[in-house]
Amino acid sequence: MAVRLIDLRRLDEAQTLTETAMDRGKIALGERHPDYLYTQNVRAWLLRNQGKLAESIELYKRLTAMADMVMGVEHPYTLYWKSGMAWTMVL
């Protein structure tokens, strides 16, 4: 849902939804769970769309480091998230 809200440029609504998902996901799943990592990716993408590039890059760095450990350096999500970080860095 948050991804669709970002696509629609309804960034305030996406932020609220993403923050709620991250808070609940961290408690219910833990910081190393792949679903929680996916939510962090959505948050990093949201930050990029809000023009908060430094915050987005920092979150991508933490996210991809954790993804390397949890899912492996060649996992498709790990590679996708690293690509997202690279795109953010060139903006």
Side-chain angles (χ1 to χ4, degrees):
M1 179 90 152
V3 171
R4 185 67 182 132
L5 291 171
I6 294 168
D7 287 343
L8 294 171
R9 305 298 299 161
R10 293 167 54 183
L11 302 181
D12 291 339
E13 292 173 78
Q15 180 173 341
T16 300
L17 188 59
T18 303
E19 288 172 355
T20 300
M22 285 186 66
D23 291 344
R24 292 179 182 171
K26 185 175 182 179
I27 294 167
L29 303 171
E31 293 181 348
R32 300 175 64 104
H33 193 282
D35 289 345
Y36 180 72
L37 296 177
Y38 182 84
T39 304
Q40 286 186 311
N41 174 65
V42 174
R43 176 75 173 138
W45 186 44
L46 171 63
L47 289 167
R48 179 173 73 187
N49 279 275
Q50 291 174 322
K52 299 175 182 177
L53 301 181
E55 289 178 62
S56 178
I57 291 167
E58 186 58 37
L59 181 53
Y60 271 124
K61 286 179 181 179
R62 290 192 313 268
L63 164 63
T64 56
M66 184 65 72
D68 283 346
M69 291 187 298
V70 173
M71 297 187 292
V73 295
E74 294 184 12
H75 189 281
Y77 279 173
T78 303
L79 297 172
Y80 178 71
W81 297 335
K82 287 181 180 181
S83 174
M85 179 172 61
W87 278 107
T88 304
M89 289 176 160
V90 299
L91 292 177

